[in-house]
Amino acid sequence: QEGNLLIDIKSSIVPQVVVQLGGYAELLKTGFRRARRAIAIELRADGTYRASRLLDHKELELAGRMFLAALTCFNFKRKEGIV
């Protein structure tokens, strides 16, 4: 699969990393670039690493929509003084 690979270097990988990767992919679109795949790499203190599952283009698009939905909810709550 051709295209840009988005890599997020982290100190730990949590389940919501998928949504974070989606947010980064959405941000790249504002600069006229597109990530076709994404992965998170956890760098551990002992020098080892662990990789998340590689997201393909369709999964990354879905993750981007999840990020934008979460952002919309947050902005609504902030506007209403809930957060």
Side-chain angles (χ1 to χ4, degrees):
Q1 190 177 28
E2 295 296 317
N4 293 324
L5 172 63
L6 171 63
I7 301 171
D8 185 9
I9 305 297
K10 307 188 90 47
S11 60
S12 65
I13 294 178
V14 293
Q16 59 269 30
V17 72
V18 172
V19 180
Q20 292 172 337
L21 290 170
Y24 298 146
E26 289 297 317
L27 179 62
L28 284 174
K29 289 179 186 178
T30 66
F32 306 103
R33 297 196 182 269
R34 289 199 179 274
R36 299 281 300 165
R37 299 168 295 154
I39 193 167
I41 307 292
E42 175 185 339
L43 301 181
R44 297 176 174 162
D46 66 1
T48 61
Y49 67 92
R50 178 174 68 107
S52 70
R53 183 176 55 80
L54 181 68
L55 300 179
D56 66 21
H57 177 67
K58 288 182 180 183
E59 293 169 312
L60 194 53
E61 285 293 320
L62 177 60
R65 289 194 299 271
M66 285 190 293
F67 172 82
L68 292 174
L71 180 61
T72 298
C73 290
F74 173 79
N75 286 335
F76 169 78
K77 290 171 85 173
R78 185 174 60 183
K79 179 182 172 207
E80 296 299 319
I82 300 168
V83 293

